[in-house]
Amino acid sequence: MILISIAVVLTLIGSLVYVRYDSRKQVGINYYRQWSKYYVKKQNKKTAYINSQPTARNPVSISEGHGYGMLICALGGENGIVANEEFEKLNNYYLKHRIASTALMSWKQTIYKNKVQAEANNATDGDLYIAYSLIKASNVWPQERAKYLKEATAILNDILKYNYNPQLKMLTVGNWANEGSKFYNMMRTSDVVPQQFDAFYKLTGNKKWLEIKRSMLGYLSKLSMQSKTGLIPDFAWVTKSQVKSVAPNTVASKYDGDYYYNACRIPYNLAQANDKLSKEILNKMMNFFMKRNKVYAGYYLDGKVIDRHKSETFGAPLLDAAINHPRKYDKLFQQEKFLVMKPLVKTNYYEAALITLVAVQVDKILN
């Protein structure tokens, strides 16, 4: 149970009192149902995927979105609003779309009239969330515990086999960024998930996960200290002596070296952790946003705005951090609470997933 002040709880209840979706007035179930309706697509009675491009002619599933979907279901299961059957449908889809001879999920699948064309590479962030969701699900549905933990262990073993740089003790961005690739030393900063790393160590007993946590948090801290804002870029180059932002268009966009659509997840990742370094990195970043009256769609590391339109994708992780740290970030809570006071967006799976993750956490507070 998240510790939260009575004042913040009363404010939250008052803010969300309009919700009338069911007799329990649960925010989480309201958003889960919207999210499921818009983004979860059933292939058959036993299999479903997350459609990351709901407006496209052919549906597209990506492992990142699938991992978020499985985590939403597992967290919803903790609150009693999601049945094991719904989680199993997503899990079955993951199992059917692993890369040959591995437990890692194909990072992208395009569905043509229910026939799937899958990519042969993985993306580390997707597999991290799938493994973590399986661990969470094992506690929610104990009848499946052994199965889910076996699957999670297999994923974690293959991440260390295919997505790990042992010299730098960090995760690479995917199996394609191998030792022979120029991207072997590149870190996706949103792959730093300290709470998950702890869970992975607890499951496997492999101390590499604690080493990965220490080293990757250390790299994140160095990036944080390089600016007054504490903002962190989407991607960074790492060596044993330094860490620095990548140049524009290194891998995904001209904003690869800025606080953009990958790094915006960092407040959510750090807010779940209890270690000192995670809190320090988060606090510096949150202090930057505490001085702003709006959250825009991307920032240069010096704090200048990239795209001057208010962004719920960037706001949702900040709201989550504010909920996890009551009183300290109450101003941001008051500013961004509207995110769970309006209908869920129908055409942006990423924004919808981040908001739904916040909403299912709100349920824990209200209950």
Side-chain angles (χ1 to χ4, degrees):
M1 181 73 175
I2 300 170
L3 297 177
I4 191 163
S5 69
I6 293 176
V8 172
V9 171
L10 293 175
T11 300
L12 186 58
I13 293 174
S15 300
L16 304 173
V17 73
Y18 82 101
V19 176
R20 296 289 186 273
Y21 203 88
D22 66 9
S23 60
R24 294 177 294 173
K25 300 183 179 66
Q26 287 183 311
V27 178
I29 196 168
N30 182 21
Y31 277 84
Y32 171 77
R33 288 174 176 171
Q34 292 181 69
W35 170 81
S36 182
K37 178 181 178 180
Y38 301 149
Y39 299 100
V40 179
K41 302 301 177 185
K42 296 177 182 178
Q43 278 193 311
N44 52 52
K45 292 182 179 180
K46 295 185 178 181
T47 307
Y49 61 90
I50 308 303
N51 185 8
S52 65
Q53 297 184 19
T55 61
R57 182 176 181 179
N58 296 302
V60 173
S61 171
I62 60 176
S63 61
E64 170 197 89
H66 203 80
Y68 279 132
M70 291 178 69
L71 182 57
I72 287 169
C73 287
L75 295 175
E78 286 183 338
N79 298 339
I81 64 176
V82 180
N84 181 230
E85 179 185 5
E86 301 308 309
F87 181 86
E88 266 292 276
K89 289 175 183 177
L90 295 179
N91 188 40
N92 286 338
Y93 183 87
Y94 148 69
L95 291 171
K96 288 184 177 181
H97 295 93
R98 293 171 291 181
I99 299 169
S101 302
T102 79
L104 305 177
M105 186 175 183
S106 161
W107 85 272
K108 179 182 179 182
Q109 312 92 49
T110 305
I111 296 89
Y112 300 96
K113 295 182 179 179
N114 219 31
K115 293 183 179 180
V116 179
Q117 179 179 314
E119 301 291 333
N121 293 317
N122 85 306
T124 304
D125 50 355
D127 288 302
L128 289 171
Y129 275 97
I130 292 170
Y132 186 61
S133 72
L134 286 163
I135 294 172
K136 299 290 282 186
S138 73
N139 295 319
V140 178
W141 297 293
Q143 71 276 16
E144 302 288 356
R145 180 174 176 81
K147 171 188 170 185
Y148 290 160
L149 293 183
K150 182 178 179 181
E151 291 175 13
T153 300
I155 294 171
L156 297 175
N157 288 340
D158 276 352
I159 288 176
L160 293 179
K161 184 175 181 180
Y162 298 105
N163 304 132
Y164 177 57
N165 181 325
Q167 287 75 41
L168 298 172
K169 293 181 172 56
M170 75 171 195
L171 301 180
T172 62
V173 297
N175 61 346
W176 55 272
N178 52 40
E179 192 169 3
S181 165
K182 66 178 182 180
F183 297 104
Y184 192 50
N185 289 9
M186 187 177 71
M187 180 177 78
R188 182 192 293 107
T189 56
S190 55
D191 286 348
V192 184
V193 283
Q195 183 192 48
Q196 295 185 22
F197 293 152
D198 285 338
F200 299 160
Y201 167 68
K202 184 177 180 181
L203 171 62
T204 66
N206 191 333
K207 291 185 178 180
K208 283 185 180 178
W209 290 109
L210 297 182
E211 293 176 350
I212 289 169
K213 176 185 175 180
R214 284 193 296 269
S215 61
M216 293 186 77
L217 269 177
Y219 301 144
L220 215 61
S221 178
K222 289 181 179 179
L223 289 166
S224 173
M225 291 187 290
Q226 289 172 12
S227 68
K228 292 181 180 180
T229 63
L231 295 177
I232 291 167
D234 276 6
F235 299 94
W237 293 118
V238 180
T239 67
K240 291 184 178 180
S241 60
Q242 66 174 345
V243 185
K244 64 178 183 179
S245 304
V246 303
N249 298 307
T250 296
V251 60
S253 79
K254 63 181 179 180
Y255 303 115
D256 286 342
D258 302 307
Y259 184 81
Y260 208 49
Y261 280 89
N262 274 288
C264 72
R265 300 179 282 187
I266 292 174
Y268 176 88
N269 295 343
L270 297 180
Q272 315 304 312
N274 293 315
D275 63 275
K276 181 180 178 182
L277 191 53
S278 292
K279 291 179 179 180
E280 288 176 357
I281 299 167
L282 176 64
N283 189 53
K284 186 175 181 180
M285 189 181 300
M286 293 292 281
N287 285 340
F288 167 79
F289 286 107
M290 286 280 284
K291 298 173 184 177
R292 272 71 193 166
N293 294 323
K294 293 182 179 180
V295 178
Y296 291 112
Y299 294 82
Y300 298 106
L301 299 187
D302 63 4
K304 293 179 181 178
V305 176
I306 290 175
D307 188 343
R308 196 165 289 277
H309 80 269
K310 195 166 178 13
S311 172
E312 298 179 7
T313 302
F314 283 73
L318 299 173
L319 176 60
D320 184 85
I323 290 172
N324 273 282
H325 295 81
R327 296 184 298 274
K328 192 171 187 179
Y329 307 126
D330 189 51
K331 183 260 185 186
L332 271 173
F333 169 79
Q334 297 294 339
Q335 179 181 304
E336 300 300 316
K337 65 187 179 185
F338 78 95
L339 293 173
V340 285
M341 297 173 64
K342 56 189 292 188
L344 196 65
V345 61
K346 298 180 181 181
T347 58
N348 186 331
Y349 94 91
Y350 189 44
E351 177 183 306
L354 294 178
I355 292 174
T356 305
L357 282 171
V358 176
V360 294
Q361 183 164 279
V362 167
D363 262 4
K364 288 186 177 181
I365 299 170
L366 296 182
N367 292 325

